[in-house]
Amino acid sequence: MDARKRRVLEALIDDYIATAEPVGSRTLARKYGLGVSPATIRNEMADLEELGYLEQPHTSAGRVPSDKGYRYYVDEIMRPMVLDVADRERIRHAYQVRVRELHWFIHQTARLVSELTQYPSLVVAPPMDDASLADLSFVPLGEDMVLMVLKTNTGMVENQTLAVPDEFDARKLQRLAQDFTREFRGVAIHELKSRILDPLQGDISRYRELWHLALKWVTGQDDGEDKVSLAGPLNILNYPEFRDVEKVRRVLGFLEKETVVELVSRTTTDGVKVVIGAESSLDDIQDCSLVTATYRVGGNVVGHLMVLGPRRMHYNRVMSIVEAVSEELTRVLHG
Amino acid sequence: MDARKRRVLEALIDDYIATAEPVGSRTLARKYGLGVSPATIRNEMADLEELGYLEQPHTSAGRVPSDKGYRYYVDEIMRPMVLDVADRERIRHAYQVRVRELHWFIHQTARLVSELTQYPSLVVAPPMDDASLADLSFVPLGEDMVLMVLKTNTGMVENQTLAVPDEFDARKLQRLAQDFTREFRGVAIHELKSRILDPLQGDISRYRELWHLALKWVTGQDDGEDKVSLAGPLNILNYPEFRDVEKVRRVLGFLEKETVVELVSRTTTDGVKVVIGAESSLDDIQDCSLVTATYRVGGNVVGHLMVLGPRRMHYNRVMSIVEAVSEELTRVLHG
DNA sequence: CATTAGCACTCTATTGAAGAGAGTGCTAAC
DNA sequence: GTTAGCACTCTCTTCAATAGAGTGCTAATG
C-alpha cells in the first residue's frame, strides 16, 4: 500500500461520501489533482480491489469503498476535522440553562448532536445501578400524593410523583425516609434489590410495598424510556441509500429496540469509536456506520452517545462533534 | 342516495380499507352478497361517482372512495365497533401503576393507543395556562441544587430540578416560596407572566431571575417536548400508501412540528372527531385521516389524543379505541 | 322498467428488444 | 512505469407490443 494508492483511496472515498455514486477512474483524474491519467488510476483501483479496500457493484460501474476500505480510511488516512467557531459556540452554549435533571441533559445532547451532524443521534444515560444511594426523601404533595426524591453519590437527582396509601401521613413518611437512608446509604443501587426483598429485614418489611415501588423506579425498570433519548431519526431520510422504505423501517426500528442500548453499552472504553457496516454483525444496520463516545457523571458512572448514519458517513466531522460534545457534557455534569 | 347505493358504498369502502386497491364491480358482486350483477353495480358506482362519493384513478381501474365518500361512511353508514374483551382489559390495566406524573400518563397513553390501533398516535397534555396556581415550593437538594414543585388547582403536580445561585439558602428559598404562593395563589398561569415581569412589583423583583426561570418552566416554553408524546410513528411504514419515502418524510415531519398541536387543540369540543384527508387543509397530510378525542384533568383543563393513519383507516375500530381510552384516562386522572 | 349479458373501448402494467452511456481491462506504444 | 486506444460488459432508458382489468353502452330479458 504505497502513498499513491492511499491518495487514490482517499479521493475515492471523499468523492463517494459526497455523491453516493460509484466513482470511476476518469472522475478521480478530473476532480482530484492526482497527476496521473485515468489508466494509471484504473490500475491502482484494480489493486485496491484485490486488496479488499474497494468493491465493484458490477463490471461497468465505478468502484465503491468496502468496510475494510472505510476502516483504513478512518484509521490511517483521514485527518480529524477542526470544528468551525459557530459549531464550537453552539456546543458551549447548549447547556447554559439552570435545569439540572439528567433526562434533560440526555435529551438536549441528542438534539444537539443530531442537528450538528444531520444524522440520527442516540444518548444513553449512565445506568443508575453502578451508583450508590446518598439520600432518599419524600415530599408530601397533599391528598395521597408524594414526591419521592433520590440522590446518588454521583450527584444525580431523580424524582417521581407517587400515590401512596392513606395510612402514610407526612410524619410517617419522613421517618420512613430517614430509616431508609440510614440503612442503605452507600449501598449500590443494584444491591438494594436483594437487600430490600430479604424477608429477614423485619423492620423494613412493613413498608415493603412502598419500597418495592421505589425500587422499581430507582432501578429504572419502570420508565426505562427516560434513560434513552433519540433525536433526529428523520435525518436518515435525507440520504439516498434510504430511499427504500424497508431499509428505513429496519434502521429506525433498530433505534427503538433494546439492542441499541446493549450495543452501545458494549463499548466501555473512553474515547470515540467507529463501527462500520458489518462490523456490528447486526443485520438491521449492515448498511450503516456508528460513531460512539462516552461521557462521565461524577465518578466512573458512564453514559453513551451515538450517531448513526450511512456507511459513507462524514466520519471526521462526526467524530469531532461527538468528541467535543462528550467532553463538554462531562465537564458540565461534573460542575 | 337509496339503500342499495349505501350498501354498495359501504362494501366498496370496506374492501378498499382492507386491500388498498381500487375496487371493481366484479369484486364487489363476488365478495359481498349484494344480490345483483356486476352491471347493476357498475351503474350504481357511476351514480356514486357523479355524486362525488367515489373517484376513478383512471378509466380502466376500479373505484376509490373520495373524502366525501369516507365522510358519508363515517357519519351515516359505519356502525361503532364493540371492542373485544382483550382490548378492554388492556385499556383498564394500562394505568394501574402508582406513578402520578402527567408526562407519564401522556406517554403511556400514546403507546397504548398506537399499539391497539397500529397507527401512530400523539397525545397532547392539557395546557397549563388555563389552570391556576395552587402552591409553589422548593425542596433543597444540597449543593446549589433545588427541586421546584408546582401544584395547580386541577391537581396536577410538576417538578423540576434547578441550580440556584449560592445566596439562596434553604431558609431564603422557603420564604421565597411562601411569598410567591401567597401572592399568586389562584392566579391563572398565563397571567403570571405579565404579573411577574411588572417592574412595579418591587418586593418580587429582587428574585426576578429566579422567577423568570420558574416561569419559563411553568409555562412550558422550556421543555415543551414533555408536553407532547408521540408513539408508534413507524407503524405508518406498514401501509402501502407510504411506500414512498417522500410521503413518509412529510407525514412524520408533520408529527414533529408545532402544527400538530395547533391542529389538535383546535378541536375543543368533547367527543371523538374525525378529520379526513383534505379536510385538514394541511398539505403534509392530504393523504391521511385523523381521529381525535379529548380528555379532562380535574375541571375543564383539556388534553388531546390523536391517531393518524392513511385515509383508508379502520375508522370504527380506531374511534372505539380512542373513545374508550380517553374515557379511562379522564376517569383515572380524576381520582 | 329495472336488471343483466355482451362487447367494444380505454388505460395500466409488464415484457422484451434496441440503443446510449459509463467504466473497465487489456494491449501496445511511449 | 505510464498512458492512449479500443473492444467488451453491464446498466438504464426508451419504445413498442401485449395481456389484463374494468368500464360504459346497447340491447335483450323477466
Side-chain angles (χ1 to χ4, degrees):
Chain A
M1 178 69 114
D2 57 27
R4 194 171 64 190
K5 279 198 182 38
R6 286 172 50 126
R7 293 218 336 258
V8 170
L9 181 58
E10 179 178 14
L12 188 143
I13 293 186
D14 284 343
D15 201 75
Y16 186 67
I17 286 179
T19 65
E21 298 290 339
V23 187
S25 52
R26 250 170 64 90
T27 312
L28 284 183
R30 198 165 12 91
K31 296 204 328 200
Y32 303 84
L34 296 174
V36 290
S37 77
T40 308
I41 295 178
R42 273 206 288 286
N43 290 330
E44 297 288 29
M45 283 164 77
D47 291 352
L48 285 168
E49 180 169 359
E50 196 162 3
L51 291 168
Y53 296 108
L54 297 182
E55 285 167 359
Q56 225 172 351
H58 55 266
T59 8
S60 75
R63 277 167 172 102
V64 161
S66 67
D67 282 0
K68 187 178 172 188
Y70 283 120
R71 171 53 64 195
Y72 189 84
Y73 176 83
V74 168
D75 290 345
E76 310 286 346
I77 300 181
M78 182 188 82
R79 284 172 314 186
M81 187 190 212
V82 180
L83 294 181
D84 77 37
V85 185
D87 290 342
R88 290 156 163 281
E89 285 298 300
R90 184 83 185 283
I91 293 171
R92 191 205 306 280
H93 292 359
Y95 302 108
Q96 287 188 347
V97 182
R98 280 285 166 71
V99 177
R100 288 286 146 171
E101 262 161 63
L102 191 61
H103 77 84
W104 182 86
F105 281 102
I106 308 272
H107 184 75
Q108 183 77 353
T109 303
R111 249 187 36 188
L112 174 67
V113 172
S114 83
E115 279 177 20
L116 287 174
T117 61
Q118 295 291 303
Y119 298 114
S121 161
L122 189 93
V123 179
V124 182
M128 266 250 185
D129 277 19
D130 297 348
S132 65
L133 180 77
D135 185 79
L136 180 78
S137 58
F138 294 114
V139 182
L141 296 173
E143 303 175 32
D144 59 345
M145 308 272 276
V146 69
L147 185 71
M148 196 175 210
V149 182
L150 175 115
K151 289 172 60 185
T152 67
N153 63 331
T154 56
M156 285 196 285
V157 178
E158 293 273 329
N159 67 77
Q160 179 147 11
T161 314
L162 297 173
V164 294
D166 282 344
E167 40 174 328
F168 294 96
D169 57 15
R171 184 193 311 257
K172 210 164 192 169
L173 283 170
Q174 196 183 348
R175 230 197 53 217
L176 209 55
Q178 279 169 3
D179 289 356
F180 190 89
T181 302
R182 191 178 330 108
E183 182 88 16
F184 294 117
R185 168 170 293 155
V187 175
I189 302 291
H190 64 87
E191 264 191 50
L192 280 179
K193 186 158 194 165
S194 42
R195 293 281 286 273
I196 287 173
L197 298 182
D198 182 350
L200 296 180
Q201 307 266 357
D203 197 31
I204 301 291
S205 64
R206 289 173 48 208
Y207 312 121
R208 187 173 300 164
E209 195 206 359
L210 193 59
W211 291 144
H212 210 94
L213 216 64
L215 197 72
K216 257 178 74 176
W217 161 58
V218 162
T219 54
Q221 291 171 358
D222 209 33
D223 59 347
E225 288 85 3
D226 266 4
K227 310 296 185 192
V228 175
S229 186
L230 170 66
L234 297 185
N235 280 329
I236 210 179
L237 301 179
N238 296 327
Y239 302 97
E241 30 272 273
F242 297 96
R243 237 178 264 138
D244 176 21
V245 172
E246 212 38 58
K247 274 190 185 169
V248 172
R249 190 214 306 273
R250 290 174 68 182
V251 172
L252 293 188
F254 169 76
L255 287 176
E256 290 188 347
K257 276 191 296 189
E258 282 300 305
T259 332
V260 199
V261 182
E262 285 168 30
L263 172 67
V264 169
S265 304
R266 212 182 296 158
T267 62
T268 45
T269 53
D270 254 17
V272 178
K273 291 254 171 193
V274 178
V275 178
I276 296 164
E279 290 177 2
S280 69
S281 52
L282 290 173
D283 269 1
D284 289 342
I285 51 167
Q286 289 281 308
D287 300 329
C288 298
S289 283
L290 303 172
V291 175
T292 63
T294 59
Y295 62 93
R296 288 185 305 287
V297 184
N300 286 322
V301 186
V302 166
H304 297 268
L305 167 53
M306 178 198 109
V307 173
L308 180 144
R311 264 189 338 218
R312 51 170 202 105
M313 196 191 259
H314 285 98
Y315 291 101
N316 54 356
R317 177 167 167 78
V318 171
M319 288 173 76
S320 298
I321 289 171
V322 158
E323 182 171 27
V325 170
S326 72
E327 275 169 12
E328 177 71 11
L329 185 56
T330 296
R331 201 179 65 71
V332 170
L333 288 177
H334 193 74
Chain B
M1 178 68 112
D2 58 27
R4 195 172 63 191
K5 278 198 184 35
R6 286 173 51 127
R7 292 218 335 258
V8 170
L9 182 58
E10 178 177 15
L12 189 143
I13 293 187
D14 284 343
D15 200 74
Y16 187 66
I17 287 180
T19 65
E21 298 289 338
V23 187
S25 52
R26 251 171 62 90
T27 313
L28 285 183
R30 196 166 12 94
K31 297 206 327 199
Y32 303 83
L34 296 175
V36 290
S37 77
T40 308
I41 295 179
R42 274 205 288 285
N43 290 331
E44 296 289 28
M45 283 164 78
D47 291 351
L48 285 168
E49 181 170 358
E50 196 163 6
L51 291 169
Y53 296 108
L54 297 181
E55 284 166 1
Q56 225 173 350
H58 56 266
T59 10
S60 75
R63 277 166 172 103
V64 161
S66 66
D67 283 0
K68 186 177 173 188
Y70 283 120
R71 172 54 63 196
Y72 189 84
Y73 177 83
V74 168
D75 290 345
E76 310 285 345
I77 299 180
M78 182 189 81
R79 283 171 316 186
M81 186 189 213
V82 180
L83 294 182
D84 77 37
V85 185
D87 291 341
R88 290 156 165 282
E89 285 299 300
R90 184 84 186 282
I91 294 171
R92 191 206 306 280
H93 293 359
Y95 303 107
Q96 287 187 347
V97 182
R98 278 285 165 71
V99 177
R100 286 289 146 171
E101 261 161 63
L102 190 60
H103 78 85
W104 181 86
F105 281 103
I106 307 275
H107 185 75
Q108 183 78 352
T109 304
R111 250 187 38 190
L112 175 66
V113 172
S114 82
E115 278 175 21
L116 288 174
T117 61
Q118 294 292 302
Y119 298 113
S121 161
L122 189 92
V123 178
V124 181
M128 266 252 182
D129 278 19
D130 297 349
S132 65
L133 180 77
D135 184 77
L136 180 79
S137 58
F138 294 113
V139 182
L141 296 173
E143 304 175 32
D144 58 346
M145 307 271 277
V146 69
L147 185 70
M148 196 175 207
V149 183
L150 176 115
K151 289 173 58 185
T152 67
N153 63 331
T154 55
M156 284 195 285
V157 178
E158 293 272 328
N159 67 77
Q160 179 147 11
T161 314
L162 297 174
V164 294
D166 281 345
E167 43 175 324
F168 294 97
D169 58 13
R171 185 194 310 257
K172 210 164 192 171
L173 283 170
Q174 195 184 349
R175 231 197 51 215
L176 210 55
Q178 281 171 2
D179 287 356
F180 190 89
T181 302
R182 189 177 333 107
E183 183 89 15
F184 295 117
R185 169 171 291 155
V187 175
I189 302 290
H190 64 88
E191 263 190 51
L192 282 180
K193 185 157 196 168
S194 43
R195 293 281 286 274
I196 287 173
L197 298 183
D198 183 350
L200 297 181
Q201 307 265 357
D203 196 32
I204 302 289
S205 65
R206 288 172 49 207
Y207 313 120
R208 188 171 299 164
E209 196 207 359
L210 194 60
W211 290 145
H212 210 94
L213 216 64
L215 197 71
K216 258 176 75 176
W217 161 57
V218 162
T219 54
Q221 290 170 359
D222 209 32
D223 60 346
E225 289 83 4
D226 265 3
K227 310 296 186 194
V228 174
S229 187
L230 170 66
L234 298 185
N235 280 330
I236 206 182
L237 301 178
N238 296 327
Y239 304 97
E241 31 270 275
F242 297 96
R243 239 178 263 139
D244 175 22
V245 173
E246 212 39 56
K247 272 189 185 168
V248 172
R249 189 213 306 273
R250 291 173 67 181
V251 172
L252 293 189
F254 169 76
L255 287 176
E256 290 188 347
K257 277 191 297 189
E258 281 301 305
T259 332
V260 199
V261 181
E262 287 168 30
L263 170 67
V264 169
S265 304
R266 213 181 297 157
T267 61
T268 46
T269 53
D270 254 18
V272 178
K273 291 254 169 193
V274 178
V275 178
I276 297 164
E279 291 178 0
S280 69
S281 52
L282 290 173
D283 268 1
D284 289 342
I285 52 167
Q286 289 281 307
D287 301 329
C288 299
S289 283
L290 304 172
V291 175
T292 63
T294 59
Y295 62 91
R296 287 184 306 287
V297 183
N300 286 322
V301 186
V302 166
H304 297 268
L305 167 51
M306 179 198 110
V307 174
L308 179 143
R311 265 189 337 218
R312 51 172 202 102
M313 196 190 262
H314 285 98
Y315 291 101
N316 54 356
R317 176 163 167 82
V318 171
M319 289 173 75
S320 298
I321 289 171
V322 157
E323 182 170 28
V325 170
S326 73
E327 274 169 12
E328 177 71 10
L329 185 56
T330 295
R331 198 179 67 72
V332 170
L333 288 178
H334 194 73

